Amino acid sequence: MEKDYVYILALKLTTGVGDVLAKQLVSYCGSAQAVFNLPKGRLLKIPGIGPKVAEMLLNKEALSAAEKCVAACEKQAIQIIPYYHAAYPDKLKMVNDAPLVLYYKGTQNYNQRKIIGIVGTRNATQYGRQTTARIVEELKAHDALILSGLAYGIDIAAHKAALKSDLSTIGVLAGGLDMIYPAAHKGVANDMQVNGGLLTEHPPGTKPDPHHFPARNRIIAGMCDALIVVEAAAKGGALISANIAYSYNREVFAVPGELGSTYSEGCNALLRAQRALIYTDIRDIEYNMNWTPGDKEKPKAVLDLSTFTSEEQRILTVLSEFKKGVHLDELCWKTQLTINQVVTMLLNLEFSGLIESLPGKQYRLIQRI
């Protein structure tokens, strides 16, 4: 694995440094390694860095922990995927609070694919399980990748249906990949790695503690094109996933349920609040997503960047992902360039008529090459 992975992991493992602050540090310093080489005085000048966090970065204990993590991942054949890596999920990369690092086991390339998240109650009814199987079977015409959380109920029904239909499926875990939860699903999890895989933001050895599950749901919501809620109570993880997906501007679908049924309350509430579209069959997905059976998700348009420097190419490529514009800080951490570098190049690109500056330190690509 690349040496830089150690520094990215060290940022992730530093107490007081979350995903957003870590990306901000990289944007200010140019790389994760540069963060650990800064003196305390310069660290304290970075917004969001206080004395305690600065001390944690300077004592470099996290670097030692990161080296052990890399060794454990290599031993267990776990892929480490930093947010700037080409293998990082494209759709998730566009989310502001996306994980700094992902850990993955499997075979699936989840970019340039139609991805459907399917979630629901752990206490699925027979109707819920049958409906889930029918949804997955109908998605076979689109060769969709099925994403869920490997939990009891609707989640595991979706994974099993995908395996039966020979569709790729990925389970997003709330703990380390060496701690499959629930343990009863280890067999299914192993089968998924042949055509899909397992994904988490937690290093090996992390227990699936309760507070990890809501955070896990944002990965499911961020990776998918659309999220389908099959059955859900009035409160629970499925509704958390739906609300996160809605906030990410993903299409949310809900299967209408029987009035008065406990595990239909959540779906019916989403429909009543107009936070979800109704799902009755695959035509609802095809109409609202503008999908045609047999078509593939089109790869992103590749800009002809041969006349630009490699740094300018990185900036233009990121800008091409954001039709409405991207904030300066986000542009820095996605390109792994310092603010001074980015500001200088943005000015040159603006003079060239390729981009425009927007209020609030936002920038947008206006000329497609």
Side-chain angles (χ1 to χ4, degrees):
M1 293 184 182
E2 297 178 22
K3 187 177 181 181
D4 189 50
Y5 287 6
V6 172
Y7 294 98
I8 283 289
L9 289 179
L11 277 181
K12 178 74 173 179
L13 297 173
T14 298
T15 303
V17 178
D19 293 316
V20 175
L21 181 56
K23 295 167 189 173
Q24 182 174 311
L25 281 166
V26 172
S27 74
Y28 269 83
C29 301
S31 70
Q33 183 174 357
V35 175
F36 290 94
N37 293 330
L38 281 185
K40 185 175 182 180
R42 290 189 61 187
L43 281 171
L44 290 174
K45 291 180 180 179
I46 299 175
I49 301 297
K52 289 185 178 179
V53 174
E55 287 295 334
M56 294 298 297
L57 290 168
L58 290 168
N59 68 26
K60 295 182 171 56
E61 287 184 8
L63 283 171
S64 177
E67 289 173 350
K68 293 178 182 177
C69 179
V70 169
C73 288
E74 289 178 340
K75 186 176 181 179
Q76 299 177 47
I78 294 173
Q79 302 174 51
I80 298 175
I81 309 175
Y83 70 93
Y84 58 80
H85 197 280
Y88 197 96
D90 288 339
K91 299 175 181 72
L92 184 61
K93 196 178 292 185
M94 301 302 116
V95 174
N96 184 54
D97 60 346
L100 184 70
V101 176
L102 293 172
Y103 302 85
Y104 183 67
K105 291 186 76 171
T107 59
Q108 181 57 47
N109 175 3
Y110 28 71
N111 291 326
Q112 278 79 58
R113 292 293 303 274
K114 296 177 180 178
I115 302 179
I116 294 292
I118 300 178
V119 297
T121 178
R122 286 172 166 78
N123 301 297
T125 65
Q126 183 178 3
Y127 167 76
R129 292 190 293 271
Q130 290 174 342
T131 301
T132 301
R134 180 170 63 83
I135 291 171
V136 173
E137 177 63 27
E138 290 177 336
L139 286 167
K140 190 171 182 179
H142 294 274
D143 192 29
L145 187 156
I146 306 302
L147 191 69
S148 197
L150 202 71
Y152 288 112
I154 297 301
D155 287 22
I156 195 64
H159 292 308
K160 287 180 176 179
L163 291 172
K164 184 177 180 181
S165 296
D166 197 28
L167 285 177
S168 301
T169 181
I170 290 178
V172 184
L173 307 186
L177 296 184
D178 57 342
M179 294 192 173
I180 302 300
Y181 178 84
H185 296 164
K186 284 184 178 179
V188 176
N190 289 335
D191 292 341
M192 289 166 62
Q193 293 176 52
V194 178
N195 189 13
L198 305 174
L199 187 71
T200 185
E201 63 179 310
H202 301 291
T206 304
K207 295 180 180 179
D209 293 329
H211 66 277
H212 288 159
F213 285 88
R216 180 273 305 271
N217 295 342
R218 85 188 191 285
I219 299 177
I220 297 175
M223 280 185 65
C224 66
D225 294 293
L227 184 78
I228 303 175
V229 185
V230 178
E231 285 186 317
K235 295 181 180 180
L239 289 192
I240 293 174
S241 298
N243 286 323
I244 294 173
Y246 183 84
S247 73
Y248 289 166
N249 294 315
R250 303 295 190 263
E251 291 289 5
V252 179
F253 294 83
V255 176
E258 180 182 357
L259 297 179
S261 171
T262 299
Y263 298 108
S264 296
E265 289 181 2
C267 290
N268 292 340
L270 286 170
L271 293 169
R272 182 171 57 248
Q274 297 183 351
R275 296 178 74 86
L277 299 167
I278 192 169
Y279 185 96
T280 56
D281 61 33
I282 191 63
R283 290 173 294 182
D284 296 316
I285 289 278
E286 292 171 346
Y287 175 79
N288 289 285
M289 301 297 294
N290 195 27
W291 284 4
T292 302
D295 67 349
K296 301 287 185 180
E297 182 174 296
K298 296 179 181 179
K300 301 177 193 64
V302 179
L303 301 175
D304 181 9
L305 303 174
S306 59
T307 60
F308 298 94
T309 67
S310 61
E311 290 81 7
E312 288 172 332
Q313 290 177 23
R314 285 150 70 179
I315 289 174
L316 289 168
T317 300
V318 172
L319 286 171
S320 70
E321 303 281 355
F322 294 83
K323 294 181 180 179
K324 296 182 180 180
V326 58
H327 192 274
L328 175 61
D329 287 344
E330 193 168 7
L331 189 57
C332 289
W333 67 255
K334 286 184 183 295
T335 57
Q336 288 249 286
L337 297 170
T338 66
I339 283 182
N340 289 338
Q341 287 176 300
V342 172
V343 168
T344 300
M345 283 181 278
L346 285 173
L347 187 61
N348 292 334
L349 292 170
E350 191 170 2
F351 285 151
S352 300
L354 285 171
I355 68 170
E356 64 177 344
S357 58
L358 305 170
K361 296 183 180 180
Q362 299 270 341
Y363 294 86
R364 179 173 62 190
L365 186 66
I366 58 175
Q367 181 176 333
R368 301 288 171 176
I369 302 176

